Amino acid sequence: ETGVTQTPRHLVMGMTNKKSLKCEQHLGHNAMYWYKQSAKKPLELMFVYNFKEQTENNSVPSRFSPECPNSSHLFLHLHTLQPEDSALYLCASSQGQAGNTIYFGEGSWLTVV
Amino acid sequence: RKEVEQDPGPFNVPEGATVAFNCTYSNSASQSFFWYRQDCRKEPKLLMSVYSSGNEDGRFTAQLNRASQYISLLIRDSKLSDSATYLCVVNRGVDDMRFGAGTRLTVKP
């Protein structure tokens, strides 16, 4: 069983919908991440939170809005998405120090129609 | 130039073969290095860290050459279960992990 859990695992939404992805880590880590993985592209880092503070926003469009209420939970709020936003969204966590490995959740498959 | 570049693949090898993957990175200040494995439609999972002195884990051997900014992964005696995409990962510092696009390996009977 993974230490990082994501819900929902699959989501289909229209371009005018508002939905949220949820991530929870049970590893006692201090940092949490959102990555996007599109077909045949490298993982793209979207957002990083370290001790609940956002430390990285990798030029992500404002239609993606992260929220980190505490070190164990991370949300990605979605609104007015585009079909090209369809991808696998991966949450991850780490101890938040250089050299630490990161552990991924199983991902949320998003399809925008 | 991409931050992390890998062999494009795909690699199709018979069981028992030895296969090697290469990876180069562009940022000389990178601090730590990893290989991750990703099965089809699954999340990436840590395979092994990569150290300057080289390290081995069973059939897997990883090497790092900081001067050439080059990382490698060698798999000996390939198994069917080794079929996956292998991701080269470079950590440039806190909160800054960069992934390669991955190299796909298929091991055939």
Side-chain angles (χ1 to χ4, degrees), chain A residues 1-73:
Chain A
E1 183 179 324
T2 180
V4 182
T5 56
Q6 290 186 236
T7 55
R9 295 292 317 282
H10 297 86
L11 177 63
V12 179
M13 60 185 290
M15 289 189 283
T16 59
N17 291 159
K18 286 186 179 181
K19 297 286 184 183
S20 296
L21 305 180
K22 178 183 175 182
C23 177
E24 183 175 359
Q25 59 98 358
H26 314 276
L27 300 169
H29 288 163
N30 299 316
M32 296 187 75
Y33 311 77
W34 280 116
Y35 282 87
K36 175 184 178 181
Q37 188 172 36
S38 304
K40 299 185 179 180
K41 288 186 178 180
L43 273 80
E44 301 171 47
L45 179 63
M46 300 176 71
F47 300 104
V48 183
Y49 280 81
N50 205 325
F51 288 98
K52 300 189 299 175
E53 298 296 321
Q54 188 179 119
T55 58
E56 181 89 21
N57 177 338
N58 205 20
S59 302
V60 180
S62 60
R63 57 186 184 268
F64 295 92
S65 174
E67 179 189 357
C68 187
N70 55 60
S71 295
S72 300
H73 293 85

Side-chain angles (χ1 to χ4, degrees), chain A residues 10 31 33 35 37 42-43 45 48 50 55-56 88 90 96-102 104-106 109, chain B residues 2 4 31-32 34 36 38 41-46 49 87 91 93-101:
Chain A
H10 297 86
Y33 311 77
Y35 282 87
Q37 188 172 36
L43 273 80
L45 179 63
V48 183
N50 205 325
T55 58
E56 181 89 21
L88 175 65
L90 289 158
Q97 299 171 10
N100 290 144
T101 56
I102 65 172
F104 287 90
E106 293 179 300
W109 289 93
Chain B
K2 294 178 184 175
V4 181
Q31 299 179 13
S32 53
F34 309 89
Y36 275 69
Q38 186 171 24
R41 300 185 69 81
K42 298 284 189 179
E43 76 276 20
K45 292 184 179 178
L46 177 67
S49 300
L87 304 173
N91 189 333
V94 179
D95 301 341
D96 198 358
M97 300 272 279
R98 302 295 172 126
F99 286 75

Side-chain angles (χ1 to χ4, degrees), chain B:
Chain B
R1 183 183 173 188
K2 294 178 184 175
E3 180 83 32
V4 181
E5 292 203 65
Q6 296 185 236
D7 284 347
F11 285 68
N12 297 306
V13 303
E15 269 188 294
T18 295
V19 61
F21 303 141
N22 303 317
C23 171
T24 57
Y25 59 96
S26 61
N27 191 319
S28 59
S30 298
Q31 299 179 13
S32 53
F33 310 88
F34 309 89
W35 284 101
Y36 275 69
R37 169 192 170 132
Q38 186 171 24
D39 292 292
C40 187
R41 300 185 69 81
K42 298 284 189 179
E43 76 276 20
K45 292 184 179 178
L46 177 67
L47 178 65
M48 59 196 302
S49 300
V50 187
Y51 304 114
S52 297
S53 55
N55 50 298
E56 188 173 307
D57 183 1
R59 298 181 292 108
F60 298 84
T61 301
Q63 296 276 355
L64 167 64
N65 184 322
R66 285 187 184 270
S68 302
Q69 296 179 199
Y70 170 94
I71 305 161
S72 66
L73 177 68
L74 182 77
I75 305 175
R76 291 182 299 277
D77 188 23
S78 300
K79 310 292 185 190
L80 296 177
S81 57
D82 294 334
S83 297
T85 297
Y86 291 83
L87 304 173
C88 176
V89 184
V90 173
N91 189 333
R92 300 196 309 172
V94 179
D95 301 341
D96 198 358
M97 300 272 279
R98 302 295 172 126
F99 286 75
T103 301
R104 186 166 181 174
L105 171 66
T106 300
V107 181
K108 298 184 175 180

